[in-house]
Amino acid sequence: MALFVIASCQLMVVLDITIVNIALPHIQTALDFSTTSLAWVVNAYTLTFGGLLLLGGRTGDILGRRRVFMFGVLLFVLASLLGGLAQNAGQLLGARALQGVGGAIASPTALALISTTFREGPERNRAFGVFAAVSAGGGAIGLLMGGILVEWLNWRWVLFVNVPIGLLIVLATPRWIRESERHPGRFDVAGALTSTVGMVLLVYGFIRAAQEGWRDALTLASFAAAVVVLTGFVLIERRSRQPITPLHMFADRNRAGTYGIMLCLAAAIFGMFFFLTLFVQNVLGFSPLEAGLAFLPVSAVIAFGAGLASRFLPVYGPKPFMVLGALLAAAGLSWLTLTDVHSTYAGSVLGPMLVFSLGMGMEFVSLTLMALSNVPTPETGAASGTLNATQQVGGSLGLSILVTMYGTASTNEAGKQIPLFLKQAPPAERLRFERTGQLPKPWSDEILTAGVSSAFIMAAIFAAVAALIALIVIQVRPSDLERLKGGTGPGPV
């Protein structure tokens, strides 16, 4: 039951990243968003979520993880209620940012609670397997739930649905989860501020680049400011007696390699969900509910891959699953580059999606275990917060890079399709194009497909880099295998 409560919270937090994607056209109409500003419905959540995860993890270490966990869930519930009641764009964006704050507090403490609730060995391996499956599969479940809620109710329910779930989690937590030991310390306020502001600036710079181009003055200013602030963060952490992110954690090659792998794979999985959602709805013509159902196999295969990895980790160690998982993800994404306007779901989407999902299931459980291996108990919150922050920042940064690739390729394809359209289209359609600037089908499908294929090439490169890091950097020692089997082995120092 403790694992069920913890996993339910993680599922709620993770699926909220994607559940609103299918509802975006309805939100745009209801609250008068422009096409450009609509992207901030997603970005307002991911920016605050990724930016504050480190602070959330450290808060649980100092104040007690169960207490902080419950506060984060309650804040998430309140923000979801306010978002569902929003009457204009500003109210919704404010609520989405507050949701990110609640998620940043709840998510890293949830992961740290697994370390303090379950004994090291097979029991903790299984718990991490469930947590990893939920973290990796939550995006697909969010797309399905979003499709159901939008089609059967309305867009507000993609936010309202969190209220009863969150309240049940809060009510169940005191009964099934014990409070962790509180570790005396002080909040590293300067480190928290510089890490949060620096990551927000970096993510905003990439998002801005995708929308306005790499030569935009505000884009360049954001990158420059991010470099300055994050450099200041490193200097502060090096001098702090109780840093929010103990930099000595990065001295462990396995943990540093794990963060690098997560950064690359998060970019790949965010891109897979984003661009396949566009493809199945705009090119294949799926309804919101059909699009959600199309992603349902992803969750099942991710859960299978996570279960497979957690079962054999004590025998083979995490490295084989980290390498194989990343290679499978790269293979699936490479297969998706072959999609075109004549592709079908069964023939061109389902197969590569399942290959990708199997690899990600293996990866997430292995990465989670490796990130928290040999971490002293007082620092498990910081370690889990860093892993989650890497995932969210990697996803946001990677998606922005992929969107830029998509924009370049689709612009080039538009240069080929527009003359063909003007040559073949009747006068009425040409007049509509001059007025709206939007090409009708099948020309628009050709442009979108060209952009999506280009984005998948870059996503496959991200996954291949992750495999290379796993192969070269990760080292599993006999003592690590002993702990995975439930033996003592050398503990953290």
CSV table of all heavy atoms in Angstrom, one decimal, residues 9 31 71 100 177 192 194 203 209 232 240 259 277 292 314 343 345 378 384 395 412 432 437 446 473-474 482:
chain,number,residue,atom,x,y,z
A,9,CYS,N,1.1,9.1,-6.6
A,9,CYS,CA,1.5,10.5,-6.7
A,9,CYS,C,2.4,10.8,-7.9
A,9,CYS,O,2.2,11.7,-8.6
A,9,CYS,CB,2.3,10.9,-5.4
A,9,CYS,SG,3.1,12.5,-5.4
A,31,LEU,N,-10.2,30.1,-24.0
A,31,LEU,CA,-9.5,31.2,-23.2
A,31,LEU,C,-8.8,32.2,-24.1
A,31,LEU,O,-8.0,33.0,-23.6
A,31,LEU,CB,-8.6,30.6,-22.2
A,31,LEU,CG,-9.2,29.7,-21.1
A,31,LEU,CD1,-8.2,29.3,-20.1
A,31,LEU,CD2,-10.4,30.4,-20.4
A,71,PHE,N,2.5,18.0,1.8
A,71,PHE,CA,2.3,19.4,1.4
A,71,PHE,C,2.4,19.6,-0.1
A,71,PHE,O,1.6,20.4,-0.7
A,71,PHE,CB,3.4,20.3,2.1
A,71,PHE,CG,3.4,21.7,1.7
A,71,PHE,CD1,2.4,22.6,2.2
A,71,PHE,CD2,4.3,22.2,0.8
A,71,PHE,CE1,2.4,23.9,1.8
A,71,PHE,CE2,4.3,23.5,0.4
A,71,PHE,CZ,3.4,24.4,0.9
A,100,GLY,N,3.4,23.1,-11.1
A,100,GLY,CA,4.8,22.7,-11.2
A,100,GLY,C,5.5,22.8,-9.9
A,100,GLY,O,6.4,21.9,-9.6
A,177,ILE,N,2.5,5.3,5.2
A,177,ILE,CA,3.9,5.7,5.1
A,177,ILE,C,4.4,6.3,6.4
A,177,ILE,O,3.8,7.2,6.9
A,177,ILE,CB,4.1,6.7,3.9
A,177,ILE,CG1,3.7,6.0,2.6
A,177,ILE,CG2,5.5,7.2,3.8
A,177,ILE,CD1,3.7,7.0,1.4
A,192,ALA,N,19.5,27.5,-4.0
A,192,ALA,CA,18.1,27.2,-4.5
A,192,ALA,C,17.7,28.2,-5.6
A,192,ALA,O,17.2,27.9,-6.7
A,192,ALA,CB,17.1,27.1,-3.4
A,194,THR,N,19.7,30.3,-7.4
A,194,THR,CA,20.5,30.4,-8.6
A,194,THR,C,20.2,29.1,-9.5
A,194,THR,O,20.2,29.2,-10.7
A,194,THR,CB,22.0,30.5,-8.3
A,194,THR,OG1,22.3,29.5,-7.3
A,194,THR,CG2,22.3,31.8,-7.7
A,203,VAL,N,16.1,26.7,-20.1
A,203,VAL,CA,14.9,26.1,-20.7
A,203,VAL,C,14.2,27.2,-21.6
A,203,VAL,O,13.8,26.9,-22.7
A,203,VAL,CB,13.9,25.5,-19.7
A,203,VAL,CG1,12.6,25.1,-20.4
A,203,VAL,CG2,14.6,24.3,-19.0
A,209,ALA,N,14.2,29.9,-28.7
A,209,ALA,CA,14.9,29.7,-30.0
A,209,ALA,C,14.0,28.9,-31.0
A,209,ALA,O,14.0,29.2,-32.2
A,209,ALA,CB,16.2,28.9,-29.7
A,232,GLY,N,27.4,30.8,-11.2
A,232,GLY,CA,27.3,31.3,-9.9
A,232,GLY,C,26.8,30.2,-8.9
A,232,GLY,O,27.3,30.1,-7.8
A,240,SER,N,29.5,26.2,0.0
A,240,SER,CA,28.4,26.0,1.0
A,240,SER,C,28.7,24.8,1.9
A,240,SER,O,29.2,23.8,1.4
A,240,SER,CB,27.1,25.9,0.3
A,240,SER,OG,26.1,25.6,1.3
A,259,TYR,N,23.2,10.6,-14.9
A,259,TYR,CA,22.5,11.9,-15.2
A,259,TYR,C,22.7,12.3,-16.6
A,259,TYR,O,21.7,12.8,-17.2
A,259,TYR,CB,23.1,13.0,-14.3
A,259,TYR,CG,22.9,12.9,-12.8
A,259,TYR,CD1,23.8,13.3,-11.9
A,259,TYR,CD2,21.7,12.3,-12.4
A,259,TYR,CE1,23.5,13.1,-10.5
A,259,TYR,CE2,21.4,12.2,-11.0
A,259,TYR,CZ,22.3,12.6,-10.1
A,259,TYR,OH,22.1,12.5,-8.7
A,277,THR,N,2.0,12.4,-31.4
A,277,THR,CA,0.7,13.0,-31.2
A,277,THR,C,0.3,13.9,-32.3
A,277,THR,O,-0.9,13.8,-32.8
A,277,THR,CB,0.6,13.8,-29.8
A,277,THR,OG1,1.0,13.0,-28.8
A,277,THR,CG2,-0.7,14.4,-29.6
A,292,GLY,N,-5.3,8.9,-27.9
A,292,GLY,CA,-5.0,8.4,-26.6
A,292,GLY,C,-4.9,6.9,-26.5
A,292,GLY,O,-3.9,6.3,-26.0
A,314,PRO,N,19.8,-8.2,-10.3
A,314,PRO,CA,20.7,-8.8,-9.4
A,314,PRO,C,21.7,-9.8,-10.0
A,314,PRO,O,22.8,-10.1,-9.5
A,314,PRO,CB,19.8,-9.5,-8.4
A,314,PRO,CG,18.5,-8.8,-8.4
A,314,PRO,CD,18.4,-8.4,-9.9
A,343,SER,N,1.9,6.4,-44.6
A,343,SER,CA,2.1,5.4,-43.4
A,343,SER,C,0.7,5.2,-42.8
A,343,SER,O,-0.2,6.0,-42.8
A,343,SER,CB,3.0,6.0,-42.4
A,343,SER,OG,4.3,6.2,-43.0
A,345,TYR,N,-1.0,3.4,-38.9
A,345,TYR,CA,-0.7,3.2,-37.5
A,345,TYR,C,-0.1,1.8,-37.3
A,345,TYR,O,1.0,1.6,-36.7
A,345,TYR,CB,-1.9,3.4,-36.7
A,345,TYR,CG,-1.7,3.0,-35.2
A,345,TYR,CD1,-1.0,3.8,-34.4
A,345,TYR,CD2,-2.2,1.8,-34.7
A,345,TYR,CE1,-0.8,3.5,-33.0
A,345,TYR,CE2,-2.0,1.5,-33.4
A,345,TYR,CZ,-1.3,2.3,-32.5
A,345,TYR,OH,-1.1,2.0,-31.2
A,378,PRO,N,21.1,10.9,4.4
A,378,PRO,CA,20.7,12.3,4.4
A,378,PRO,C,20.7,13.0,3.1
A,378,PRO,O,20.1,14.1,2.9
A,378,PRO,CB,21.8,12.9,5.3
A,378,PRO,CG,22.3,11.8,6.1
A,378,PRO,CD,22.3,10.6,5.2
A,384,SER,N,17.8,12.2,-5.6
A,384,SER,CA,16.5,11.9,-6.4
A,384,SER,C,16.1,13.2,-7.0
A,384,SER,O,15.6,13.2,-8.2
A,384,SER,CB,15.4,11.3,-5.5
A,384,SER,OG,15.1,12.2,-4.5
A,395,GLY,N,14.2,16.9,-20.9
A,395,GLY,CA,13.0,16.8,-21.8
A,395,GLY,C,12.6,18.1,-22.4
A,395,GLY,O,12.4,18.2,-23.6
A,412,ASN,N,11.6,24.0,-45.2
A,412,ASN,CA,12.2,23.6,-46.5
A,412,ASN,C,11.2,22.9,-47.3
A,412,ASN,O,11.2,23.1,-48.5
A,412,ASN,CB,13.5,22.8,-46.2
A,412,ASN,CG,14.6,23.6,-45.6
A,412,ASN,OD1,14.7,24.8,-45.7
A,412,ASN,ND2,15.5,22.9,-44.9
A,432,ARG,N,-8.0,31.3,-50.4
A,432,ARG,CA,-8.1,30.9,-49.0
A,432,ARG,C,-6.6,30.9,-48.4
A,432,ARG,O,-6.4,31.3,-47.3
A,432,ARG,CB,-8.8,29.6,-48.7
A,432,ARG,CG,-9.0,29.3,-47.3
A,432,ARG,CD,-9.8,28.0,-47.1
A,432,ARG,NE,-11.1,27.9,-47.8
A,432,ARG,CZ,-11.3,27.2,-48.8
A,432,ARG,NH1,-10.4,26.4,-49.3
A,432,ARG,NH2,-12.5,27.3,-49.4
A,437,GLY,N,-2.7,31.7,-45.0
A,437,GLY,CA,-1.3,31.2,-45.0
A,437,GLY,C,-1.2,29.7,-44.7
A,437,GLY,O,-0.1,29.2,-44.5
A,446,GLU,N,2.4,16.6,-46.2
A,446,GLU,CA,3.7,16.5,-46.6
A,446,GLU,C,4.7,17.3,-45.8
A,446,GLU,O,5.8,16.8,-45.4
A,446,GLU,CB,3.8,16.8,-48.1
A,446,GLU,CG,3.1,15.9,-49.1
A,446,GLU,CD,3.8,14.6,-49.3
A,446,GLU,OE1,4.9,14.4,-48.8
A,446,GLU,OE2,3.3,13.8,-50.1
A,473,VAL,N,31.1,4.8,-19.7
A,473,VAL,CA,31.2,5.4,-18.4
A,473,VAL,C,30.8,4.5,-17.3
A,473,VAL,O,31.5,4.4,-16.2
A,473,VAL,CB,30.4,6.8,-18.3
A,473,VAL,CG1,30.4,7.4,-16.9
A,473,VAL,CG2,30.9,7.8,-19.4
A,474,ILE,N,29.7,3.8,-17.4
A,474,ILE,CA,29.1,3.0,-16.3
A,474,ILE,C,30.0,1.8,-16.0
A,474,ILE,O,30.4,1.1,-16.9
A,474,ILE,CB,27.7,2.6,-16.6
A,474,ILE,CG1,26.8,3.8,-16.9
A,474,ILE,CG2,27.1,1.7,-15.5
A,474,ILE,CD1,26.6,4.7,-15.7
A,482,GLU,N,26.2,-7.5,-5.1
A,482,GLU,CA,25.9,-8.1,-3.8
A,482,GLU,C,24.7,-7.3,-3.1
A,482,GLU,O,23.8,-7.9,-2.6
A,482,GLU,CB,27.1,-8.0,-2.9
A,482,GLU,CG,26.9,-8.7,-1.6
A,482,GLU,CD,26.8,-10.2,-1.7
A,482,GLU,OE1,27.2,-10.8,-2.7
A,482,GLU,OE2,26.2,-10.8,-0.7
